[in-house]
């Protein structure tokens, strides 16, 4: 599993993916968050992920455990009137992706996470590139980078000071950030999937599609699986690696397919708050099919060195005013630089 012959010790707390599973002491203080005001830097955010899950050389600081996938995206042309991006013209684009679970420990059990993630790098025949990182929950626990930083602090202290059965820490965090209730409720109402291939994945943040006349439309997207959703079984909770093994077994039967669906915002729908869903009656457009044909271990697979920066966007797709997008982009770059540097240092000593 590891890119280096280091011993991996299982354990650690999940930082983002399961608020209800984190308990312990929590206080909003300058000493705890490490901030005296303003937005945390990418380095501070990644330091905090490392404080939660430990340092695992050569691995991503979040979503450390995953598997590479390859395939293609067949656009049906339905989004072409909304966006001048060539990826939405009718035709096929090549895909390199990564399926993963949340958390920074690459040895954690699959059953410890109740959110799956799908990241894609889509390359059109003309050379344009679109990267998107999606989660199996359509919303995020917090709205701002500052709140994320505080949540990571709560997770760190939970790991260090938890008394078994205590919920005081997360209760305190949720009292200070009531928006997290929506995320926890969604997880409660939607048990995790039994496989990577039967989960839907969501952009979470809003983006803007730009047409040939320069008109902008706020959207979110998701990919809906052709395979029927099946909830996680009790027996799987004791299986540390059922997701990657199940993916390989499923692909022996044939490719996996998801339909990409774009949801159009209406005036008044917030674009700067990833903790809020848009109303269910918004227009939705099926814009094409994602097909996954092959999986490969991330140790040497084609996704290994890709940073799935959500702001790597082609002409015709633009970021919204969601404050998490710039923070995510910077944190992905910081995580990528750290693991690449670790690989260089390791290679230099061989």
């Amino acid at each position: 599993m590891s890119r280096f012959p280091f011993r991996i010790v299982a354990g650690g707390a999940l930082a983002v993916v399961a608020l209800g599973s984190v308990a312990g002491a929590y206080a909003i203080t300058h000493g705890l968050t490490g901030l005296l005001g303003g937005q945390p830097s990418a380095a501070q955010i990644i330091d905090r992920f490392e404080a939660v899950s430990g340092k695992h050389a050569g691995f991503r600081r979040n979503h450390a455990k995953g598997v590479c996938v390859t395939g293609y995206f067949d656009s049906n042309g339905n989004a072409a009137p909304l966006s001048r991006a060539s990826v939405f013209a009718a035709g096929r684009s090549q895909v390199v992706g990564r399926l993963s679970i949340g958390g920074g420990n690459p040895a954690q059990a699959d059953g410890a996470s109740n959110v799956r993630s799908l990241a894609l790098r889509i390359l059109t025949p003309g050379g344009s590139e679109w990267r998107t990182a999606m989660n199996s929950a359509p919303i995020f626990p917090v709205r701002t980078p500052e709140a994320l930083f505080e949540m990571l602090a709560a997770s760190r202290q939970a790991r260090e000071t938890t008394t078994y059965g205590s919920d005081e820490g997360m209760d305190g965090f949720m009292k200070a950030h009531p928006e997290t209730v929506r995320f926890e409720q969604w997880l409660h109402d939607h048990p995790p999937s039994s496989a990577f291939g039967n989960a839907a994945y969501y952009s979470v943040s809003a983006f803007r599609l730009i047409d040939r006349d320069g008109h902008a439309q706020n959207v979110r997207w998701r990919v809906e699986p052709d395979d029927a959703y099946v909830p996680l079984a009790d027996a799987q909770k004791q299986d540390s690696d059922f997701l990657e093994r199940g993916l390989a077994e499923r692909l022996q039967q044939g490719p996996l397919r998801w339909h990409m669906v774009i949801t159009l915002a209406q005036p008044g729908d917030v674009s700067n708050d990833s903790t809020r869903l848009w109303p269910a009656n918004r227009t939705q457009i099926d814009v094409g099919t994602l097909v996954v044909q092959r999986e490969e271990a991330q140790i040497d697979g084609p996704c290994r060195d890709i940073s799935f920066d959500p702001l790597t966007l082609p002409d015709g797709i633009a970021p919204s005013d969601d404050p998490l997008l710039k923070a995510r982009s910077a944190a992905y770059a910081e995580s990528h630089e750290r693991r690449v540097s670790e690989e260089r240092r390791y290679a230099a000593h061989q």
Side-chain angles (χ1 to χ4, degrees), residues 74 224 282 293:
D74 265 340
E224 291 278 1
R282 296 302 183 250
Q293 300 168 297

Side-chain angles (χ1 to χ4, degrees), residues 148-201:
L148 170 62
F149 197 65
E150 292 171 8
M151 186 169 67
L152 291 170
S155 297
R156 182 197 67 183
Q157 278 212 341
R159 189 180 68 153
E160 294 173 351
T161 64
T162 290
T163 299
Y164 182 77
S166 170
D167 289 327
E168 294 178 1
M170 198 48 61
D171 286 346
F173 178 84
M174 295 179 73
K175 183 177 180 180
H177 293 276
E179 70 274 16
T180 59
V181 172
R182 292 189 286 268
F183 181 79
E184 178 145 296
Q185 186 63 50
W186 197 93
L187 293 182
H188 178 269
D189 294 341
H190 299 80
S193 64
S194 60
F196 278 137
N198 63 12
Y201 298 93

Side-chain angles (χ1 to χ4, degrees), residues 43-257:
Q44 287 176 309
I45 291 174
I46 296 304
D47 285 346
R48 189 54 50 81
F49 273 106
E50 291 179 350
V52 171
S53 298
K55 294 183 180 181
H56 301 280
F59 287 93
R60 299 165 200 263
R61 271 33 183 192
N62 193 17
H63 302 284
K65 187 177 185 180
V67 58
C68 297
V69 293
T70 51
Y72 57 88
F73 172 65
D74 265 340
S75 171
N76 56 25
N78 287 345
L82 295 170
S83 174
R84 59 181 179 242
S86 58
V87 70
F88 291 130
R92 179 169 295 186
S93 299
Q94 295 304 304
V95 169
V96 175
R98 185 171 182 269
L99 285 157
S100 63
I101 58 175
N105 184 350
Q108 74 182 36
D110 289 350
S113 176
N114 53 5
V115 173
R116 289 83 171 90
S117 297
L118 172 60
L120 303 175
R121 181 191 187 197
I122 305 175
L123 293 173
T124 70
S128 69
E129 181 176 350
W130 177 23
R131 301 187 193 185
T132 178
M134 300 174 284
N135 286 337
S136 60
I139 54 176
F140 201 67
V142 293
R143 192 181 68 84
T144 67
E146 294 86 350
L148 170 62
F149 197 65
E150 292 171 8
M151 186 169 67
L152 291 170
S155 297
R156 182 197 67 183
Q157 278 212 341
R159 189 180 68 153
E160 294 173 351
T161 64
T162 290
T163 299
Y164 182 77
S166 170
D167 289 327
E168 294 178 1
M170 198 48 61
D171 286 346
F173 178 84
M174 295 179 73
K175 183 177 180 180
H177 293 276
E179 70 274 16
T180 59
V181 172
R182 292 189 286 268
F183 181 79
E184 178 145 296
Q185 186 63 50
W186 197 93
L187 293 182
H188 178 269
D189 294 341
H190 299 80
S193 64
S194 60
F196 278 137
N198 63 12
Y201 298 93
Y202 303 84
S203 67
V204 183
S205 293
F207 290 80
R208 300 165 68 228
L209 297 188
I210 314 297
D211 69 16
R212 296 187 182 280
D213 295 323
H215 299 136
Q217 167 69 55
N218 284 334
V219 301
R220 283 170 165 160
W221 55 76
R222 69 182 187 274
V223 291
E224 291 278 1
D226 279 3
D227 283 23
Y229 161 79
V230 176
L232 182 71
D234 287 342
Q236 290 177 306
K237 297 176 182 178
Q238 310 304 318
D239 188 335
S240 61
D241 295 301
F242 69 88
L243 286 169
E244 183 173 351
R245 186 175 65 253
L247 177 66
E249 292 172 353
R250 170 59 183 80
L251 287 174
Q252 290 177 2
Q253 303 170 25
L256 283 163
R257 289 178 169 81

